[in-house]
């Protein structure tokens, strides 16, 4: 199998997959900005998993959760947007980056529960949460199970159920496992893992654990029903999630069910953004995505209505 074919297969197979940064993935440009430096880092043991974290910047706290087979560094291209006026808590999720796999399966509700404990141990009463793909599923479960810990929530490029993926992807997702490890030695997924992982020999076990997760017919509809905070769903218009599922997710949150009204009297507190010219493998690195997310997390974004424009 060629390297190009392998990368393509892994990228489409991993339901919550991270991917290498692709330059030019959306606007606006952030070339002249720099991310705030790390002011604190370390590991916090929670339920048998030693979670690695980094804290940057000042302001209201924002928890960043990366995609599958990724790590904190995947947000490097857009970190300046997040740290511009926020204190960012970025975490390597179970088995990813600098966080060891441990001796338990990878389950999104379990990791979500862990993170609610983690932010409390780090001294935060309540945080905003931004989760991409695999991290979006973790964020959903964290917010559903510990709503008192989450002020606002952004879920990027993640479904609430397995049937949210295009059906042709499911057999490829089911194929992910340790048998792919040797062929992945030159791929961005392994090289980024190798650069920071405390035990590189765990990579095949990580593939097995992620494959086991993706083979389960998960459905977190019950978790969606428990979300009480404002939620924003963000997708690319060429995402790996079916557009119909994006809309269904938004409907479950109470959005898109009727006209908002002249004075927004029927407006849902939740939001949906489907952004142009973006695939699943680019959304996490798009400055446009980061800017849209931060506008929501900061509580802004309302344009003046017609009456306001004419001074009425």
């Amino acid at each position: 199998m060629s390297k190009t074919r392998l990368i393509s297969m892994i990228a489409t197979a991993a339901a919550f997959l991270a991917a290498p940064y692709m330059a030019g993935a959306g606007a606006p440009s952030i070339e002249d900005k720099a991310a705030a430096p790390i002011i604190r880092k370390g590991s916090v043991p929670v339920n048998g998993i030693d979670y690695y974290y980094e804290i940057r910047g000042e302001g209201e706290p924002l928890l960043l959760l990366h995609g599958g087979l990724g790590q904190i560094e995947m947000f490097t291209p857009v970190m300046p947007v997040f740290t511009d006026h926020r204190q960012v808590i970025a975490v390597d999720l179970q088995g990813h980056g600098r966080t060891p796999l441990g001796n338990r399966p990878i389950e999104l509700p379990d990791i979500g529960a862990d993170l609610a404990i983690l932010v409390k141990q780090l001294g935060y009463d309540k945080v905003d949460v931004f989760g991409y793909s695999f991290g979006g599923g973790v964020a959903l479960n964290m917010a559903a199970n510990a709503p008192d810990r989450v002020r606002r929530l952004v879920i990027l490029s993640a479904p609430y159920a397995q049937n949210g993926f295009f059906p042709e992807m499911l057999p490829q997702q089911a194929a992910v496992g340790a048998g792919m490890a040797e062929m992945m030695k030159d791929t961005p997924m392994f090289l980024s893992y190798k650069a920071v992982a405390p035990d590189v020999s765990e990579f095949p076990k990580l593939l097995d654990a992620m494959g086991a997760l993706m083979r389960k017919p998960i459905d977190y509809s019950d978790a969606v029903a428990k979300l009480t905070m404002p939620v924003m769903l963000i997708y690319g218009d060429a995402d790996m999630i079916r557009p119909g599922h994006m809309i269904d997710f938004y409907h479950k949150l109470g959005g898109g069910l009727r006209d908002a009204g002249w004075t927004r009297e029927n407006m849902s507190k939740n939001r949906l953004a489907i952004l142009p010219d973006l695939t699943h493998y680019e959304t996490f690195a798009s400055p446009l995505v980061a800017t849209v997310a931060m506008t929501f997390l900061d509580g802004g974004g309302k344009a003046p209505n017609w009456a306001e424009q004419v001074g009425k």
Side-chain angles (χ1 to χ4, degrees):
M1 182 184 297
S2 71
K3 184 189 300 184
T4 300
R5 172 60 180 161
L6 176 64
I7 293 176
S8 176
M9 180 179 177
I10 294 295
T12 54
F16 309 106
L17 186 65
Y21 170 59
M22 297 183 181
S29 172
I30 54 173
E31 293 178 357
D32 296 331
K33 295 184 179 180
I38 297 171
I39 58 176
R40 182 181 169 192
K41 64 181 179 179
S43 294
V44 176
V46 183
N47 294 324
I49 305 297
D50 291 329
Y51 287 95
Y52 175 83
Y53 71 91
E54 295 177 353
I55 298 176
R56 301 171 180 264
E58 297 180 353
E60 291 295 319
L62 170 61
L63 179 65
L64 283 187
L65 305 177
H66 62 77
L69 302 188
Q71 57 279 123
I72 293 170
E73 283 76 9
M74 69 184 304
F75 289 121
T76 297
V78 292
M79 190 66 78
V81 178
F82 295 126
T83 63
D84 179 64
H85 60 283
R86 290 298 193 103
Q87 182 156 91
V88 171
I89 310 107
V91 177
D92 281 343
L93 299 174
Q94 181 185 352
H96 292 70
R98 303 159 190 81
T99 297
L101 184 60
N103 296 315
R104 73 180 201 199
I106 289 180
E107 299 284 358
L108 303 187
D110 292 344
I111 301 175
D114 290 348
L115 292 184
I117 296 171
L118 181 146
V119 296
K120 183 177 181 180
Q121 290 187 0
L122 290 177
Y124 301 97
D125 290 329
K126 185 170 284 194
V127 297
D128 288 335
V129 182
F130 177 106
Y132 161 66
S133 199
F134 171 65
V138 172
L140 165 61
N141 281 277
M142 174 186 176
N145 292 302
D148 57 321
R149 293 283 168 204
V150 181
R151 189 182 72 109
R152 284 177 175 254
L153 171 65
V154 172
I155 296 174
L156 172 63
S157 292
Y160 69 83
Q162 187 188 49
N163 65 12
F165 299 105
F166 286 104
E168 64 270 18
M169 295 180 57
L170 299 182
Q172 298 180 58
Q173 294 170 4
V176 172
M180 293 180 170
E182 184 61 32
M183 294 182 291
M184 290 181 66
K185 288 295 179 68
D186 294 326
T187 65
M189 286 74 77
F190 176 74
L191 293 175
S192 60
Y193 177 87
K194 179 181 178 181
V196 297
D199 183 358
V200 179
S201 70
E202 282 200 334
F203 189 68
K205 297 178 183 177
L206 173 60
L207 293 178
D208 271 343
M210 292 296 285
L213 171 66
M214 290 185 287
R215 285 187 287 274
K216 293 182 178 180
I218 59 171
D219 187 332
Y220 298 121
S221 295
D222 290 345
V224 175
K226 295 178 182 177
L227 298 177
T228 57
M229 70 294 296
V231 180
M232 182 174 219
L233 307 175
I234 305 178
Y235 299 96
D237 62 350
D239 217 306
M240 67 162 63
I241 315 303
R242 294 184 295 104
H245 187 84
M246 303 174 192
I247 301 301
D248 188 43
F249 200 161
Y250 190 45
H251 284 171
K252 284 181 178 295
L253 293 170
L257 300 176
R258 60 185 301 184
D259 176 65
W262 179 259
T263 60
R264 299 164 67 98
E265 65 270 17
N266 302 320
M267 188 79 165
S268 168
K269 67 180 178 181
N270 301 311
R271 301 287 178 266
L272 169 65
I274 301 176
L275 302 179
D277 198 28
L278 288 172
T279 74
H280 186 82
Y281 318 103
E282 300 157 354
T283 55
F284 67 89
S286 166
L288 176 60
V289 167
T291 300
V292 168
M294 286 307 305
T295 299
F296 169 76
L297 293 172
D298 290 340
K302 178 182 177 297
N305 64 31
W306 198 359
E308 291 170 336
Q309 291 182 55
V310 297
K312 298 293 185 180

